Amino acid sequence: MRRATMLFLAAARALCPRVTQPTRRSIIRAAKSKVNKPRYATGKAKAVFRGEGLGAPSYDSAPIALSGLPDTTKPYAVLGIETSCDDTAAAVVRSDGTILGEAVASQHEVHAKYGGIVPGLAKEAHEQAIDAVVDEALKQAHLTMEDVGAVAATVGPGLEICLRVGARKAAHLASNYEKPFLHCHHLEAHCLVARLDDSLAFPYLALLVSGGHCQLLWVQGVGDCSVLGGTLDDALGEAYDKAARMLHLSSETGGGPALEQAALRGNATAIDLPVPMKKRKDCDFSYAGLKNALRGKVAEKREERGLGDDDDLPDQDVYDLAASFQNVAIEHVEDRLKVAFKRVINEAGASPTLALVGGVAANAELRRRVASVASQAGWRLVVPPPRLCTDNGVMVAWSAILCGNQISGAPRHRREVVSVAASARWRGDSTPSTRRCSRDRVGSMAWRCTEVSAIFLRIT
Ligand code: KG4
Ligand code: ZN
């Protein structure tokens, strides 16, 4: 274990005496890296607050913060905070895209024995980790809060009680240090983190595969995405997690990575599983049928081996089932991508580009097969490094910077009252069936997240 990580764990222990042993041992990733100067988004400044009407209550005591961004003609740093699900993450990113510091505390161990994320425990773990994670990101960046130009936090979509932990921390830092506070849309942040690669220009196709979402998006600008298709039931990450649970693989690393590891030792064609929606030629996904088929195969194997319902299968059976599940799950992705490529080819123009983003994009087999389908179709693929695919603070800070560049005309140096409304659901989070683009009009707006993420203060 790296010395910095050891030190951080020691600090986390000292700062969080109530943290249970597994939480203390939570995976802390801290890294410092340079990335190339990104190409900034261009476009008209839009400044629309999108917090009202969500039905989520504001904080009891509205903190005071400065509105507006720092002088965007000079480099500035943004602290990004992410607590939408089961990762407590923070990062400091400079406005030119240089990652100055980052830290993540994962909660896999906390939830492993429950077979899924328990919101109350997730909130508690966020509360226990948040201060140490933010401190570590700043420490890695060799900056203090005084040096930071703005604070950003994910405010949706996600688990509301978890979102509130990060949003509250950000609001209080903004208030105490008189910094602007920016709201981030989680899905947009996943899509925009790919633009840390400065060769990725708008528009591009994004395949967003995470625990809560599975969407094909046509990303035309900051705050400007069309949904080409989404899942009708389970998301891809959710399917991985459920499959891992069925195979008794749930572990300290999380279901998806555990299944990926098991699949490495298995025969991907050993078990016959149906590829979802093979005959449908649209961009929607469905993983519930595959999950149920896997459940049936697991039961068959148990019976074949004379095992009871809760008994573990022999290792090789587990590996073969995992590999076969992964093979078919990815074949479904390949099918959908081929349809999406055809649908957007006209809009894409000369250099069609795909960005593979979201937690499941950390999966090496998915990365390999998506790269192959893209290259066969003449599409360029951009995939962030695995640590920037799973939830992280960099994507929050970076999307805030990109949004901020669009609204640099916002008022500066005025004291205003911040009222944060964190929400589990957003307009952009609607079910794909109601928000899907018409087949032939890719450019039509299925959802616009400018309103969600571009501006940050609610004046009460
Ligand atoms: O984006 P993310 O970190 O959180 C959400 O926004 O949901 O994605 C988490 C999901 C989980 O379902 C997790 O099991 C899956 O991404 N995941 C993976 C891998 N790493 C994370 N699935 C398959 N293979 C992986 N290596
Ligand atoms: Zn995510």
Side-chain angles (χ1 to χ4, degrees):
M1 199 182 304
R2 286 177 43 193
R3 189 177 146 72
T5 309
M6 295 285 289
L7 285 174
F8 179 47
L9 286 174
R13 237 166 263 146
L15 286 166
C16 313
R18 287 188 303 126
V19 176
T20 57
Q21 195 59 28
T23 309
R24 285 181 194 164
R25 288 202 312 268
S26 292
I27 301 161
I28 307 292
R29 297 192 303 266
K32 227 180 136 187
S33 57
K34 296 263 174 198
V35 292
N36 293 333
K37 189 168 187 267
R39 209 190 282 184
Y40 286 130
T42 54
K44 260 202 301 184
K46 289 197 177 150
V48 185
F49 177 70
R50 173 72 191 110
E52 62 280 316
L54 293 170
S58 315
Y59 292 126
D60 301 340
S61 55
I64 307 293
L66 282 179
S67 71
L69 285 169
D71 182 352
T72 50
T73 60
K74 296 187 188 134
Y76 61 95
V78 172
L79 169 66
I81 297 176
E82 158 62 41
T83 58
S84 67
C85 193
D86 60 345
D87 289 308
T88 316
V92 182
V93 179
R94 206 166 59 198
S95 49
D96 65 359
T98 305
I99 299 167
L100 301 174
E102 46 181 319
V104 181
S106 293
Q107 305 175 2
H108 300 310
E109 291 180 17
V110 176
H111 304 287
K113 64 171 177 265
Y114 301 101
I117 295 165
V118 184
L121 291 180
K123 172 189 170 248
E124 218 171 85
H126 283 308
E127 283 171 346
Q128 288 169 344
I130 188 81
D131 290 346
V133 164
V134 168
D135 289 350
E136 175 64 12
L138 287 166
K139 193 174 129 206
Q140 292 276 325
H142 301 291
L143 294 179
T144 64
M145 271 309 297
E146 275 84 10
D147 307 316
V148 164
V151 187
T154 305
V155 292
L159 296 171
E160 186 177 331
I161 55 173
C162 296
L163 288 163
R164 284 180 178 281
V165 178
R168 189 179 291 124
K169 173 77 180 174
H172 281 270
L173 285 173
S175 165
N176 293 344
Y177 293 91
E178 301 198 326
K179 305 289 178 185
F181 174 31
L182 293 96
H183 293 179
C184 278
H185 185 291
H186 187 69
L187 308 187
E188 184 180 44
H190 270 304
C191 291
L192 290 180
V193 80
R195 294 195 81 240
L196 279 169
D197 178 333
D198 67 350
S199 66
L200 179 60
F202 294 124
Y204 57 90
L205 182 66
L207 172 60
L208 168 62
V209 278
S210 69
H213 294 86
C214 189
Q215 292 184 326
L216 272 159
L217 301 153
W218 183 236
V219 187
Q220 288 165 287
V222 174
D224 192 352
C225 289
S226 305
V227 181
L228 304 182
T231 184
L232 305 177
D233 37 61
D234 294 352
L236 179 56
E238 186 182 358
Y240 263 90
D241 293 340
K242 288 175 177 170
R245 220 174 299 149
M246 270 178 228
L247 297 172
H248 295 179
L249 282 171
S250 286
S251 78
E252 296 163 5
T253 58
L259 193 132
E260 181 184 17
Q261 285 310 309
L264 287 174
R265 299 169 172 206
N267 174 357
T269 54
I271 314 287
D272 193 21
L273 290 165
V275 181
M277 304 204 294
K278 200 67 186 168
K279 292 200 178 123
R280 268 174 69 160
K281 297 289 173 218
D282 62 18
C283 294
D284 286 339
F285 298 83
S286 168
Y287 281 104
L290 174 59
K291 172 189 70 185
N292 290 333
L294 180 70
R295 184 173 289 122
K297 295 291 179 186
V298 170
E300 271 174 32
K301 278 278 172 211
R302 286 220 175 89
E303 206 177 318
E304 209 177 301
R305 308 279 179 215
L307 296 168
D309 285 352
D310 292 329
D311 294 336
D312 287 343
L313 284 167
D315 286 351
Q316 197 54 50
D317 285 349
V318 171
Y319 299 151
D320 289 347
L321 284 158
S324 302
F325 166 85
Q326 175 166 265
N327 184 32
V328 169
I330 297 179
E331 186 173 333
H332 185 32
V333 170
E334 291 170 328
D335 289 347
R336 271 25 202 174
L337 274 177
K338 286 176 194 163
V339 176
F341 286 158
K342 281 196 193 132
R343 255 180 89 178
V344 297
I345 193 72
N346 294 334
E347 281 81 1
S351 59
T353 309
L354 169 71
L356 175 60
V357 295
V360 192
N363 181 294
E365 179 67 1
L366 179 71
R367 292 163 87 95
R368 187 185 67 73
R369 284 175 54 180
V370 167
S372 162
V373 171
S375 114
Q376 278 165 27
W379 280 61
R380 195 167 76 87
L381 176 67
V382 173
V383 198
R387 76 178 202 288
L388 298 184
C389 293
T390 47
D391 289 350
N392 62 86
V394 172
M395 68 188 203
V396 179
W398 179 235
S399 75
I401 289 164
L402 291 180
C403 291
N405 285 340
Q406 286 211 335
I407 52 163
S408 51
R412 312 234 308 266
H413 307 304
R414 271 174 47 207
R415 285 183 84 79
E416 288 170 346
V417 179
V418 181
S419 164
V420 183
S423 172
R425 285 191 73 79
W426 294 89
R427 217 159 47 184
D429 194 30
S430 305
T431 53
S433 54
T434 57
R435 302 214 69 84
R436 208 180 305 138
C437 291
S438 64
R439 269 173 188 278
D440 50 354
R441 290 199 53 226
V442 166
S444 67
M445 284 308 97
W447 56 273
R448 280 184 174 273
C449 52
T450 309
E451 300 163 76
V452 173
S453 56
I455 194 123
F456 39 95
L457 289 181
R458 182 176 195 177
I459 303 167
T460 54

